[in-house]
Amino acid sequence: MKKLYTYLVAGLLLVNVPAYTAPVEELDPSQLSLQGKPGHYDAIIAKLDNALPIVSVGTVLASTNHPNPGYNGPSNFVEDFTWDKRDGYNDQDTELWFPQGITTSSDAYDNGVYEGSDVILVSWYDNRTPTTDPGNKGVRISFIDKDTLTYRNALLVVPDDGNTPSFHTVKVHAGGIMWYGYMLYIVDTSNGVRLFDLRHIYEVSIGDGIGHVGSGRFEAHNYRYVIPQSGHYLADGFRFSFISLDRTTTPDSFLVGEWDPQGTSSRVARFEIDYTTRLPRHSSGTTAPAIELFNSHLRSTQGVMSILSGGKTKYYFSCSRGENANGHLFTWVKGEQDEAVDHGAILSRGPEDVAYRQQGDQLWTLGEWPGERPVYALKAGNY
């Protein structure tokens, strides 16, 4: 049962206001499974491979064209930076794009690097409405070179078949992302998880169009690189708001969770992942069953991660408190605590997805609101 408090505001008695925490409710994981089509676009991707130059993540990083200036956050931010802001370009303040998901090369490989580079990836969604507007550019991914603190944005696309293969934009919220080997996972709020294979990044011509625009020319809303969707996993009755990898379990696993402003349905599910295929572990065919399910009952959860140590699993939750207030960090130790512990408003405004970096024991997250968009790390062991 939720704790209730009574408040007196402006002379009015307000009752039955839920507290920030309530007992965590463990649920039957058999309620949830993912139904996969992991190679759904393979045939079209093979055609695109023949039509377009394929580049590596290293090539994208070698062409970074934006700086990540320092942020100078509070003392609990052990590392932090922000986005390019200059005449004619402004990722710090733009309302056209909102950053959401975060993952690092420590997720991709346990040695913390990808193709020799220390990398952070961040997803942004096009804030134009409605998404049916042909001008909506969908989702872009910032490839951040952590050594040089520079980045470049690339566009996510869905392959289209035809006499000449093409592609269109990915119009989802992209509230969470996870990198595992060469596979990039993007949550699709109402549907499940989309997969993007980083072995197939294409260089296209600079122009306003999208996909094949004629005469063998491909464009992507003035982005130089595109990443095509390779497949997906679908599920009903679950809101896919965020995702994170857990390399401390055996086998590796990942968490997906729900954003709920009231905390009524703030469920978190865990799935095992197969390091040989980079896909969720299947029970039969391409069905991946959840192995854990619980309801944290935390309001406005934007991200979750977990660390298994000494036989105990600790969960970390980033929870937003609106545009004008700092976010809260909560932790919960399964089997030891009835409810999550509130560590206070120690996050930025609008904290979003989280990712764990074993190198340095770091919890990485980011702020979404224009004007204050830090990308930053906290030391997980301090909480």
Side-chain angles (χ1 to χ4, degrees):
M1 179 180 295
K2 289 185 177 180
K3 295 179 181 178
L4 300 175
Y5 291 96
T6 301
Y7 292 95
L8 185 65
V9 180
L12 298 176
L13 186 65
L14 306 178
V15 297
N16 293 340
V17 178
Y20 284 171
T21 60
V24 175
E25 180 184 4
E26 298 200 46
L27 304 170
D28 179 4
S30 67
Q31 298 175 22
L32 183 64
S33 63
L34 296 170
Q35 307 300 320
K37 291 186 178 181
H40 185 64
Y41 295 102
D42 283 355
I44 314 175
I45 286 176
K47 294 180 181 180
L48 288 169
D49 284 352
N50 291 326
L52 286 164
I54 303 171
V55 302
S56 66
V57 169
T59 297
V60 176
L61 293 174
S63 67
T64 54
N65 56 348
H66 299 288
N68 291 110
Y71 179 70
N72 194 28
S75 59
N76 63 313
F77 291 12
V78 295
E79 292 189 48
D80 55 11
F81 54 84
T82 185
W83 303 99
D84 190 6
K85 179 179 181 179
R86 52 186 164 82
D87 289 345
Y89 193 90
N90 191 348
D91 276 342
Q92 284 187 38
D93 301 321
T94 183
E95 295 188 2
L96 297 179
W97 292 94
F98 272 63
Q100 295 290 297
I102 189 167
T103 186
T104 78
S105 49
S106 187
D107 287 337
Y109 293 109
D110 58 9
N111 65 1
V113 297
Y114 191 91
E115 296 177 359
S117 295
D118 193 350
V119 191
I120 296 174
L121 304 183
V122 169
S123 63
W124 304 64
Y125 74 92
D126 188 333
N127 193 44
R128 294 176 178 88
T129 54
T131 55
T132 53
D133 184 334
N136 187 293
K137 299 177 182 179
V139 176
R140 70 184 189 186
I141 300 294
S142 294
F143 286 76
I144 302 168
D145 186 328
K146 195 166 174 288
D147 293 325
T148 63
L149 284 181
T150 57
Y151 69 102
R152 188 172 195 114
N153 297 317
L155 201 66
L156 297 184
V157 296
V158 178
D160 293 322
D161 206 357
N163 292 330
T164 301
S166 188
F167 48 78
H168 62 272
T169 54
V170 179
K171 296 177 181 179
V172 299
H173 192 70
I177 62 177
M178 182 191 81
W179 193 0
Y180 194 63
Y182 51 77
M183 198 68 75
L184 181 62
Y185 287 59
I186 310 285
V187 293
D188 181 342
T189 309
S190 301
N191 297 301
V193 180
R194 299 191 186 211
L195 307 179
F196 297 80
D197 190 332
L198 296 181
R199 296 173 300 180
H200 302 271
I201 303 174
Y202 303 124
E203 184 174 359
V204 299
S205 300
I206 300 299
D208 295 332
I210 183 69
H212 184 247
V213 297
S215 302
R217 181 181 174 90
F218 293 80
E219 296 176 356
H221 293 308
N222 289 306
Y223 288 91
R224 183 175 175 182
Y225 301 111
V226 299
I227 310 165
Q229 182 176 339
S230 59
H232 55 255
Y233 282 80
L234 306 179
D236 295 325
F238 194 89
R239 183 183 179 93
F240 291 81
S241 301
F242 42 84
I243 187 170
S244 70
L245 182 70
D246 187 345
R247 283 191 171 275
T248 66
T249 61
T250 303
D252 297 337
S253 60
F254 66 93
L255 301 173
V256 292
E258 297 180 309
W259 174 87
D260 183 342
Q262 303 302 321
T264 304
S265 184
S266 297
R267 292 175 295 172
V268 173
R270 184 186 297 274
F271 296 85
E272 293 180 333
I273 194 164
D274 187 336
Y275 77 93
T276 64
T277 64
R278 307 301 179 186
L279 300 174
R281 293 188 73 178
H282 301 145
S283 57
S284 62
T286 55
T287 297
I291 62 166
E292 181 183 15
L293 184 66
F294 64 86
N295 191 342
S296 73
H297 289 294
L298 293 174
R299 296 192 292 110
S300 300
T301 305
Q302 302 280 13
V304 65
M305 71 177 208
S306 60
I307 302 171
L308 173 62
S309 179
K312 300 175 183 177
T313 303
K314 177 178 279 191
Y315 293 82
Y316 295 75
F317 307 84
S318 64
C319 297
S320 60
R321 293 294 177 255
E323 185 174 357
N324 298 313
N326 281 31
H328 284 238
L329 178 68
F330 291 83
T331 59
W332 173 59
V333 179
K334 184 176 182 178
E336 283 193 358
Q337 298 170 325
D338 292 332
E339 61 186 44
V341 175
D342 186 358
H343 295 276
I346 63 172
L347 303 178
S348 66
R349 292 188 303 122
E352 287 293 323
D353 197 24
V354 298
Y356 181 58
R357 181 176 171 81
Q358 295 187 68
Q359 292 78 15
D361 184 36
Q362 294 177 338
L363 179 159
W364 279 89
T365 186
L366 70 163
E368 71 168 331
W369 292 111
E372 185 177 346
R373 283 183 169 151
V375 182
Y376 58 100
L378 284 65
K379 187 171 181 59
N382 288 345
Y383 305 98

